[in-house]
């Protein structure tokens, strides 16, 4: 489990090439002289979506020979989509006959491009529960975006248009937004892709915090202890209000603003710690160093501040060779691919180059991924020329290589990359780019194996839809999805005949580096490269 940073764990298994922060542009207008309204949402450059709601009394739907037709007290826009069976409208209408005195809606979808002009009209019952009706609009947006961009154009061999009709009918009798969102999740689950999903507005804000690298809070990483269930401090961000107050790793959180945390999970507690800059929060903690003693309890009033989440930690590891020569290895830990990852990586490399570092260890262990662009930007700091960084494959099977353009590496010193089963997504893209282009040796364990890329779009209600839009192959055309990347050298302690003693000068807390067998193996591999004169 990831620790909660007054938010959800950023990204988890997500791999996002871009974030669309612009909400769908929606407007509601009176439709004709009837008690009905047209809600139009432009949610992409290609598709325009609208639906009309009005009272449903008696009568039935009938096919229209003109642009619009009137039947009772509602209008239906004519179906003009050759690829869709027109009987869909009739079947939807029949499914609504039992909803007397209910509300109905009509969705009309048209493509902006004349060459791709098509429209589809679907009628469905509109809930009288306001919050459910809002989620129905969200369903229309989600359904349309998937219809346009999902990697599998067969939608897992199902009629995606009919799936909208079915979900709308199932959503009609519901009375809560949570239940309605579960219907959307159920619809998405039929696609057979766990990475295509919808998250709530609150979850999306937490995701953006992880991607943006900034939050307003007190600087605590917290998690539930798997044995006791108690909330404990995993770490404090250096210089944060929590760190200045002396809260330490291992301390247990007892109360927040006087409320006991029994039964709280990490996310719920994290939400209570976050808040606007300038406000304060009072926490009661029990020191992990004084368990069982009343003196270990204390209350601390913490101001909320802007907290910068750094995805980079680094240190210079000096050691002497058998002939007495002092060498320096730069160790860089990249924990996530957030928006500031590339800039911080560049600063770290430049600082270590200034300290005379002669080789590097890039640690991607337990890095679950994040923004694909950040991964590609980091790769270009280690490579020259116009190498292929990754190959993407779209929904039609077209492969597009993504190349560097006149790349200039920040350093040509030997490089080793550490990976394990927790290295996923953008981590695998970066590891594959460096390995397949002959720039780095991979050490550790086989990676997670997530070879799909998601886009994320904020919907009108603040929720977000993640859609798998492509898969990727390494530069050498290795398929990573559900396979992973096998390292060149497995990380086992018995591979070193005589592990050397390292001295550590650190930026941050890195005392554990000396005891990390994978880092020792990486240093051993770098020595072999240097002895062969194999600087890349």
């Amino acid at each position: 489990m990831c620790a909660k940073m007054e938010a959800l764990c950023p990204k988890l298994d997500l791999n996002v090439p871009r974030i669309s922060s612009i909400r769908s542009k929606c407007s509601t207008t009176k439709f004709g002289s009837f008690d009905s309204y047209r809600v139009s949402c432009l949610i992409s450059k290609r598709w325009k979506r609208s639906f009309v709601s009005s009272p449903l009394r008696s009568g039935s739907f009938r096919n229209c020979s003109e642009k619009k037709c009137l039947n009772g007290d509602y209008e239906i826009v004519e179906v003009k989509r050759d690829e869709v069976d027109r009987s869909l409208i009739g079947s939807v209408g029949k499914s609504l006959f039992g909803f007397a005195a209910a509300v109905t809606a009509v969705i009309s979808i048209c493509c902006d491009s004349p060459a791709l002009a098509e429209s589809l009209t679907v009628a469905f019952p509109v809930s009288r529960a306001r919050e459910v009706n809002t989620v129905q609009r969200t369903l229309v947006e989600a359904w349309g975006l998937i219809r346009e961009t999902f990697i599998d154009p067969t939608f897992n061999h199902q009629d995606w248009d009919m799936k909208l009709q079915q979900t709308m009918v199932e959503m009609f009798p519901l009375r809560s937004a949570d239940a309605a969102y579960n219907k959307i999740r159920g619809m998405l689950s039929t696609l057979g892709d766990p990475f295509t999903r919808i998250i709530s507005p609150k979850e999306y804000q937490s995701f953006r915090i992880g991607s943006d690298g900034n939050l307003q809070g007190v600087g605590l990483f917290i998690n539930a202890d798997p044995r006791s269930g108690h909330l404990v401090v995993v770490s404090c961000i250096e210089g944060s209000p929590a760190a200045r107050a002396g809260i330490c790793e291992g301390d247990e959180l007892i109360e927040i603003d006087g409320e006991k945390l029994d039964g709280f999970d990490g996310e719920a507690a994290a939400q209570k710690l976050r808040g606007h800059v300038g406000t304060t929060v009072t926490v009661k903690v029990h020191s992990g160093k004084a368990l069982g003693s009343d003196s270990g309890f204390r209350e601390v009033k913490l101001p909320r501040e802007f907290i910068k989440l750094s995805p980079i930690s680094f240190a210079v590891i000096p050691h002497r060779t058998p002939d007495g020569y002092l060498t320096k290895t730069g160790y860089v830990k990249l924990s996530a691919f957030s928006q500031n990852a590339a800039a911080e990586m560049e600063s770290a490399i430049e600082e270590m180059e200034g300290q005379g570092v002669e080789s590097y260890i890039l640690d991607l262990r337990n890095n679950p991924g994040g923004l694909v662009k950040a991964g590609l930007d980091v790769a270009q700091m280690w490579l020259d020329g116009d190498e292929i960084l990754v190959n993407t494959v779209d929904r039609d099977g077209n492969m597009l290589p993504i190349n560097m353009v006149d790349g200039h590496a920040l350093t040509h010193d030997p490089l080793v990359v550490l990976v394990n089963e927790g290295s996923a997504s953008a981590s695998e893209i970066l590891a594959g780019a460096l390995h397949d282009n002959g720039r780095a040796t991979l050490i550790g364990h086989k990676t997670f194996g997530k070879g799909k890329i998601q886009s994320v779009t904020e919907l009108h209600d603040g929720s977000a839809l993640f859609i798998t839009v492509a898969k990727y192959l390494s530069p050498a055309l290795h398929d990573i999805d559900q396979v992973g990347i096998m390292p060149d050298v497995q990380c086992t302690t018995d591979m070193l005949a005589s592990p050397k003693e390292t001295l550590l000068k650190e930026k941050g807390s890195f005392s554990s580096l000396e005891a990390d067998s994978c880092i020792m193996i990486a240093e051993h591999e770098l020595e072999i490269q240097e002895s062969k004169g194999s600087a890349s």
Side-chain angles (χ1 to χ4, degrees), residues 129-150:
R130 179 173 297 180
E131 59 184 280
V132 175
N133 181 248
T134 298
V135 181
Q136 285 184 309
R137 291 176 56 193
T138 301
L139 171 60
V140 173
E141 290 183 273
W143 169 82
L145 285 168
I146 289 169
R147 188 173 182 270
E148 180 183 356
T149 64
F150 185 58

Side-chain angles (χ1 to χ4, degrees), residues 13 195 420-425 428 446-450 480 482-485:
D13 57 359
F195 304 114
N420 67 0
E421 59 279 356
S423 305
S425 192
E428 293 171 293
K446 187 172 72 170
T447 62
F448 180 84
K450 181 179 181 292
I480 297 170
Q482 301 184 41
V483 177
I485 300 174

Side-chain angles (χ1 to χ4, degrees), residues 166 246 299:
Q166 175 187 337
E299 282 193 352

